[in-house]
Amino acid sequence: NFRLHKADIIQSRACSVFANDVVKIKLVGSVHDIDTEQKSFSPLFTHQIFGQREEITGYVNPKVEILYASNSLRPLIRFSSTSRHSEQMLQEHGLNATDVVNCIKRFVPCDYLSSTEDLRSELAKNPMQEIGLKVGGYNISHVVPRSMNEKETLAEDQFEFYFSSLENPEVHQFANRLQSLAMWMIEKSSYIKADPNWKLLTLYRRLKQKETKSQGNDGDSAQQADLELVGFVTIYKYLCAKDCILGKTKCK
């Protein structure tokens, strides 16, 4: 169990911030989303990266962004701060400045992008593609309410399940990116070791929108399609004494 003395808490708060409050994670769908705070969310856990206190030390108004390109889930780390606390101040409190970027790369390994320009280039590549074999799915249809200046639209959300094996290098790389996201959201989450018995089940939403003719408008209808990841779960296949195949889930 981790316990702090009152004096330690006072010293820490003078130079530190709660990491869960300053780390923001976002799935970026276009270049317009990169510098907006919409769609971003905070991690649930940061102790595996920044220690049991879940603190970032040595900076004034630090800001940590983990931006995932939605088409590939390849992430970018962006870190900034207004200024740094002096080394003398940190030494007086017996503290060291947190090496934020290296801490993340060490405890949440992934094939990170190097710059915002790299993220823009990543987003310009092909949209997300399904990985594995389709094993099921379901549809949800609904009418989008019409506003004063917009046409009424009919939307259909198609959800699809895909099954794949981590034996495939492409699948294993994609699973590593998924696990880097899970590290921020699942307590005591850990990376899967290379093993052909690990399988990956992914859930995608294939969104189709069809513009319907509004009253007094005979224009042609247009159709758009998009694919986005909704969730995932890893499954381990093993044999029991009676040669029965069983499964156990790792994370989702």
Side-chain angles (χ1 to χ4, degrees):
N1 295 330
F2 186 81
R3 303 181 66 179
L4 293 175
H5 296 291
K6 184 175 181 180
D8 294 330
I9 296 175
I10 294 174
Q11 290 177 353
S12 177
R13 287 178 177 174
C15 304
S16 305
V17 296
F18 186 43
N20 295 40
D21 290 338
V22 300
V23 175
K24 298 297 180 182
I25 303 169
K26 180 167 60 176
L27 296 177
V28 179
S30 69
V31 294
H32 304 291
D33 297 332
I34 293 177
D35 294 315
T36 64
E37 294 186 1
Q38 295 180 346
K39 301 180 180 179
S40 64
F41 55 93
S42 300
L44 297 180
F45 306 99
T46 58
H47 62 275
Q48 297 194 111
I49 298 93
F50 300 117
Q52 290 297 322
R53 298 188 186 185
E54 297 187 316
E55 291 180 340
I56 294 176
T57 301
Y59 306 92
V60 178
N61 298 322
K63 182 179 181 181
V64 184
E65 298 174 284
I66 314 295
L67 308 178
Y68 284 84
S70 61
N71 59 335
S72 65
L73 288 189
R74 194 172 177 188
L76 168 69
I77 304 171
R78 296 203 303 187
F79 172 66
S80 62
S81 64
T82 304
S83 61
R84 294 189 58 164
H85 292 294
S86 67
E87 290 297 328
Q88 180 180 354
M89 182 178 181
L90 293 175
Q91 290 176 3
E92 289 176 354
H93 294 299
L95 301 171
N96 294 313
T98 304
D99 190 345
V100 176
V101 174
N102 283 336
C103 274
I104 296 174
K105 289 183 176 180
R106 177 184 176 186
F107 295 108
V108 191
C110 196
D111 55 335
Y112 289 99
L113 297 166
S114 300
S115 66
T116 303
E117 286 302 318
D118 288 344
L119 178 58
R120 291 193 178 98
S121 298
E122 189 74 17
L123 291 170
K125 296 180 180 179
N126 294 330
M128 177 173 283
Q129 301 294 323
E130 311 91 333
I131 292 181
L133 175 67
K134 184 178 178 180
V135 293
Y138 57 93
N139 298 335
I140 298 178
S141 299
H142 59 91
V143 175
V144 179
R146 182 175 59 185
S147 64
M148 183 178 298
N149 298 321
E150 295 180 349
K151 299 177 183 179
E152 186 179 75
T153 59
L154 177 64
E156 181 180 71
D157 291 342
Q158 180 181 351
F159 295 88
E160 302 173 353
F161 295 97
Y162 286 82
F163 183 81
S164 56
S165 173
L166 270 66
E167 289 181 282
N168 185 320
E170 181 182 0
V171 175
H172 192 271
Q173 182 183 58
F174 188 67
N176 278 342
R177 295 171 184 173
L178 290 170
Q179 290 176 99
S180 73
L181 179 58
M183 287 289 290
W184 300 97
M185 308 306 296
I186 301 177
E187 189 173 15
K188 297 182 180 180
S189 179
S190 61
Y191 280 73
I192 293 173
K193 296 181 180 179
D195 188 327
N197 287 322
W198 278 112
K199 310 300 177 183
L200 178 66
L201 184 64
T202 47
L203 174 63
Y204 297 91
R205 182 176 66 172
R206 189 181 299 277
L207 179 62
K208 296 180 180 180
Q209 292 184 331
K210 184 176 181 180
E211 294 183 357
T212 59
K213 296 179 181 180
S214 59
Q215 292 182 353
N217 188 345
D218 295 328
D220 294 333
S221 61
Q223 189 172 7
Q224 295 179 335
D226 194 15
L227 183 71
E228 63 180 0
L229 181 74
V230 177
F232 78 99
V233 61
T234 52
I235 305 170
Y236 189 82
K237 182 181 72 173
Y238 64 94
L239 300 178
C240 66
K242 295 182 180 180
D243 293 332
C244 297
I245 297 178
L246 303 176
K248 60 180 180 180
T249 58
K250 180 68 174 179
C251 58
K252 58 183 177 180

